[in-house]
Amino acid sequence: MADTTGTSGTGTTIPDSRPRKSSWKYIGPGIVVAATGVGAGDLVATLVAGSNFGYTLLWAAVLGCLVKISLAEAAGRWHLATGRTLFDGWASLGRWTTWFFVVYVVIWGFVYGAAAMSSSALPLQALWPDLFPADWSIKPWAIICGLVGLVFVWFNKYEVFEKVMTVLVGVMFVVTVYLAVRVTPNLGDAFAGLLPVLPDEKDSILNTLGLIGGVGGTITLAAYGYWVNAKGWTNTSWMKVMRLDNRVAYITTGVFVVAMLFVGAELLHASHTSIASGDKGLLDLTKILQAEYGTATAKLFLVGFFATSFTSLIGVWHGVSLMFADFVERYRSERVTGEEVARGDREKGWPFRAYLLWLTFPPIVLLFQGQPFRLVILYGVLGAAFMPFLALTLVWLLNSRRVPTEWRNGWLSNGMLVVAGLLFVVLCVKQIWDQPWADFF
């Protein structure tokens, strides 16, 4: 809950608006957004970049973290400067934002639920391959992961959720840093990789843009403001704390990204070894690690793989459900506030729990029937469109009269958000272009 200093003459609680001193003891939402944003697919993308280009694109990975810092800071600043939620801000821009959000969370949540459960199941199946019959594949583990995520988020409020996420991030951190040290990176080449140079290969520009925009770039960036409020930070007195927390988030993300790029550069690039795309690429890496460093290292990596996947699962189960609950509340009343999120009542309300159920049970059907082709294409298009939507609407909102003058965008924030918006527009167009539309109709 937010701190207070007393009451007014009418008995209304007056929030304490004195600036809080930045302190590590407050860190929390940043850890959550870092853990949720970096999934198994992101680690594979970084591994592949290291495998294909060595250390050449290290600068792009670092730049990507800076871009995400600007986006998450802007989302958090909106919540604290206005006392309103991000969805309330979107709704003020017109009905089109509401329609986009609703279609997005319904289709995206349906497909993502199956993907998140499958990703969490892969390392468990690899750790205990004989626990279920081979012809069942990963389905039992996937269902267990989905149900555990559902029960955990259903019965726990933000405080417990944050503590568990912090523990899992610790596991991710230990595993990725251990691997980066174990492969003995060439620090001279790594420092050289901080110079902005493009690989001399076909599609190098698009590959570079994809690395900058891909890792940690999901709807969870928008959820950051909701986690800030859930922590009890509801006004501008928490602005310095939020900014420190946000930097910690993407420094943590940067460590994950750089560590896996080191692994890709040293373990895969040097030996010209390729791995599968998507989450299964991490299983390929497990086999390589076992051959190079033994079973113990391979199993430790699988534990880190699970922590990476499961934090993304429960992070989305919690954060996007909060956003959906906010959407419902926005149409029950004229305006919704961060104070309402901070009270924690929404985590027990039916809209929050209804979306939790939507993320869990309908996607289980997809585990058995396969993902519908047309739905997967729409999922890809909407997912590609969300990040430019987020970046450009934040530019719009944070330069408007909706925000007190003191907290509007400066030149640096505008520059970073515009660059992020243009970057994601390019990636969105490419992803839409690459979809197999001929088979869609």
Side-chain angles (χ1 to χ4, degrees):
M1 296 294 291
D3 294 340
T4 58
T5 57
T7 57
S8 67
T10 60
T12 303
T13 300
I14 303 172
D16 183 355
S17 59
R18 293 173 298 177
R20 267 72 170 184
K21 183 179 179 181
S22 295
S23 174
W24 294 96
K25 69 180 182 180
Y26 293 125
I27 299 303
I31 296 296
V32 172
V33 76
T36 308
V38 179
D42 297 312
L43 296 187
V44 172
T46 312
L47 276 170
V48 170
S51 173
N52 292 338
F53 308 116
Y55 294 103
T56 305
L57 292 182
L58 181 59
W59 66 271
V62 174
L63 180 59
C65 291
L66 295 177
V67 168
K68 308 311 185 319
I69 285 175
S70 66
L71 283 164
E73 188 275 340
R77 177 155 44 94
W78 167 268
H79 278 249
L80 297 183
T82 65
R84 299 162 62 186
T85 63
L86 185 55
F87 185 82
D88 195 45
W90 285 337
S92 71
L93 300 179
R95 287 185 174 272
W96 66 275
T97 60
T98 301
W99 285 109
F100 174 80
F101 178 79
V102 171
V103 173
Y104 174 79
V105 295
V106 170
I107 295 178
W108 180 88
F110 184 39
V111 180
Y112 178 83
M117 287 187 268
S118 297
S119 179
S120 298
L122 283 171
L124 296 178
Q125 171 68 13
L127 283 167
W128 293 287
D130 301 322
L131 192 60
F132 296 108
D135 58 343
W136 289 12
S137 185
I138 63 170
K139 295 181 182 67
W141 283 119
I143 294 170
I144 290 170
C145 290
L147 294 178
V148 169
L150 169 70
V151 171
F152 171 73
V153 176
W154 187 289
F155 289 105
N156 290 293
K157 287 193 175 183
Y158 175 79
E159 291 81 0
V160 176
F161 165 70
E162 181 189 289
K163 287 181 173 63
V164 171
M165 291 288 274
T166 302
V167 171
L168 292 174
V169 167
V171 173
M172 293 167 60
F173 188 90
V174 168
V175 171
T176 54
V177 171
Y178 167 75
L179 289 179
V181 172
R182 189 70 191 268
V183 300
T184 317
N186 186 320
L187 296 181
D189 289 348
F191 281 116
L194 294 174
L195 295 174
V197 176
L198 291 175
D200 186 21
E201 296 188 23
K202 182 182 178 182
D203 295 330
S204 63
I205 294 178
L206 288 174
N207 286 329
T208 302
L209 293 178
L211 182 60
I212 294 172
V215 179
T218 68
I219 191 174
T220 54
L221 284 169
Y224 178 64
Y226 290 85
W227 286 322
V228 163
N229 287 158
K231 181 75 170 176
W233 306 347
T234 57
N235 56 54
T236 56
S237 69
W238 293 100
M239 197 69 76
K240 287 185 178 180
V241 175
M242 181 275 292
R243 284 170 168 164
L244 173 63
D245 178 77
N246 178 45
R247 293 184 192 111
V248 170
Y250 285 97
I251 289 172
T252 305
T253 300
V255 170
F256 295 148
V257 170
V258 170
M260 295 310 289
L261 192 139
F262 281 5
V263 173
E266 292 295 340
L267 201 59
L268 305 179
H269 182 69
S271 60
H272 304 287
T273 303
S274 61
I275 59 174
S277 60
D279 300 345
K280 291 185 178 179
L282 294 185
L283 293 183
D284 292 342
L285 179 61
T286 303
K287 296 174 184 176
I288 296 169
L289 289 170
Q290 183 167 354
E292 291 285 334
Y293 303 113
T295 302
T297 296
K299 288 188 178 298
L300 178 65
F301 174 71
L302 286 172
V303 172
F305 179 2
F306 173 74
T308 300
S309 298
F310 195 65
T311 51
S312 293
L313 186 153
I314 60 176
V316 167
W317 263 229
H318 188 276
V320 183
S321 296
L322 265 183
M323 295 181 70
F324 182 80
D326 189 40
F327 153 71
V328 174
E329 292 298 329
R330 177 64 176 75
Y331 282 90
R332 285 179 165 182
S333 58
E334 291 185 0
R335 181 168 294 184
V336 289
T337 67
E339 289 281 358
E340 294 172 8
V341 178
R343 285 198 295 268
D345 296 339
R346 290 187 183 175
E347 294 166 85
K348 302 300 181 185
W350 72 261
F352 181 92
R353 288 177 165 176
Y355 194 73
L356 265 180
L357 295 173
W358 175 253
L359 283 168
T360 307
F361 288 105
I364 288 176
V365 176
L366 297 185
L367 296 174
F368 290 91
Q369 296 187 349
Q371 297 183 355
F373 180 72
R374 289 182 175 84
L375 194 61
V376 171
I377 290 180
L378 292 176
Y379 164 82
V381 170
L382 289 168
F386 183 81
M387 291 304 289
F389 167 79
L390 174 63
L392 298 176
T393 54
L394 283 171
V395 172
W396 188 348
L397 289 170
L398 291 168
N399 285 286
S400 71
R401 294 181 179 178
R402 299 171 181 84
V403 181
T405 305
E406 178 184 1
W407 302 111
R408 291 178 194 169
N409 277 357
W411 65 269
L412 181 60
S413 294
N414 275 326
M416 291 297 290
L417 288 176
V418 168
V419 167
L422 294 176
L423 164 69
F424 289 120
V425 165
V426 171
L427 294 175
C428 175
V429 170
K430 180 181 183 300
Q431 189 159 343
I432 292 174
W433 182 267
D434 289 343
Q435 297 293 336
W437 293 106
D439 299 328
F440 182 85
F441 299 102

